């Protein structure tokens, strides 16, 4: 199975919603752990890679505006 490449600035939809009601997050750090910022309330969390990859339901690549 090919591993999906996530980049800083990508947005993802996770399986379970955040308590604020949204389930869209922006990636601000990648590596062994992923840093995510909630797009609803701005809360930041760190999630281990295996847990993150199981929780992702949809990926929205960042839109580079040039």
């Amino acid at each position: 199975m090919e591993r999906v490449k996530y980049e800083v600035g990508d947005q993802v939809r996770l399986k379970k919603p955040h308590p604020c009601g949204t389930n869209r997050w922006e990636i601000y750090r990648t590596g062994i752990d992923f840093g995510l910022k909630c797009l609803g309330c701005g809360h930041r969390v760190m999630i281990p890679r295996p847990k993150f990859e199981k929780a992702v339901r949809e990926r929205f690549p960042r839109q580079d505006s040039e």
Side-chain angles (χ1 to χ4, degrees), residues 3-4 8 11-12 16 20 24 31 38 40 46 48 52 55 63:
R3 194 173 242 184
V4 177
V8 172
Q11 294 181 6
V12 293
K16 293 186 177 182
C20 74
R24 295 230 0 200
C38 177
M46 296 291 288
F52 171 79
Q63 304 292 324

Side-chain angles (χ1 to χ4, degrees), residues 21-37:
T22 187
N23 58 359
R24 295 230 0 200
W25 298 79
E26 180 178 350
I27 299 171
Y28 72 86
R29 181 182 187 278
T30 61
I32 295 294
D33 294 326
F34 276 81
L36 302 174
K37 178 181 161 192

Side-chain angles (χ1 to χ4, degrees), residues 33-52:
D33 294 326
F34 276 81
L36 302 174
K37 178 181 161 192
C38 177
L39 294 176
C41 65
H43 185 78
R44 291 178 174 237
V45 296
M46 296 291 288
I47 300 177
R49 180 180 282 272
K51 187 174 181 181
F52 171 79

